[in-house]
Structures are given as C-alpha cells and as structure tokens.
Amino acid sequence: MRVQDMECCGQHEVCEKESLLAAVSKEIEYYEDEELDRFRGRTGDAYLPDEIEEFREVLYTMREDEVAGWVRSLQLRQVELPDDLKDEVCMIVGEVRG
C-alpha cells in the first residue's frame, strides 16, 4: 500500500501530513540540491532518465529521516518529484513513520 493511500490529506503526490503540520513556515531548506531548481514547473512525467538519476542521487545520499523534509522543500520550490521516484519516496517515508 502506498503512503498516499493511508489517511492522506490529498494535497500532494507524497503524503507529508505530519511534516506539513510541523512545518508551518514557508522557509525553504536546501539539501545540497540547488541544481534541481532548474526543473521548476516541470511535471513528474516529463523527466528524462538522466534527470531522474539526479533526483535519485540526492535521495539516496540523505538520511531517511530527511526525505519528507526534502520533498517538502521541493514542493515549496515548485519542483515536482519525477513519477519514477514517487513510490520509492513513499516507501522510505512510510518506513520512517512506521
């Protein structure tokens, strides 16, 4: 079961209900991923394989407990996560919260 299917607030692809409640501010935190800002406004299904790997590299170089905050940071920056990574992110976030 995907995280977004379990009591998701429905406002985003990767459910971060707890993170959003905790992160009341709109302050953007970077995770050594400033280069991803160039994808602002692109849809999740519009990434090339090498671009997806850029996101994957950032994802797997951070601690698991940072992933939800990273996704929140991307949302605030209007950078959509590639569709190919959404299940991986949901799994990681679900394990941390589990």
Side-chain angles (χ1 to χ4, degrees):
M1 179 177 280
R2 294 166 56 139
V3 173
Q4 63 203 45
D5 295 335
M6 300 182 303
E7 300 179 20
C8 181
C9 59
Q11 294 184 4
H12 20 71
E13 293 292 327
V14 178
C15 185
E16 294 188 86
K17 190 175 184 178
E18 295 168 22
S19 295
L20 291 174
L21 293 174
V24 175
S25 77
K26 298 285 186 192
E27 204 169 305
I28 295 173
E29 180 177 346
Y30 282 89
Y31 293 79
E32 297 184 27
D33 65 342
E34 295 82 3
E35 69 278 3
L36 299 179
D37 283 350
R38 74 181 190 279
F39 299 119
R40 181 177 287 125
R42 190 178 300 192
T43 61
D45 62 353
Y47 291 99
L48 299 172
D50 60 325
E51 295 169 336
I52 295 168
E53 285 307 310
E54 286 185 58
F55 281 86
R56 186 173 277 121
E57 183 178 324
V58 173
L59 174 63
Y60 286 104
T61 57
M62 68 178 58
R63 295 186 329 257
E64 288 183 350
D65 63 335
E66 294 177 318
V67 174
W70 176 60
V71 173
R72 176 69 178 146
S73 171
L74 291 174
Q75 290 172 343
L76 289 171
R77 293 155 45 197
Q78 300 175 357
V79 176
E80 188 172 332
L81 195 63
D83 287 349
D84 289 1
L85 290 182
K86 289 178 182 175
D87 285 341
E88 291 173 57
V89 167
C90 285
M91 186 175 65
I92 292 169
V93 171
E95 287 175 4
V96 168
R97 293 186 179 160

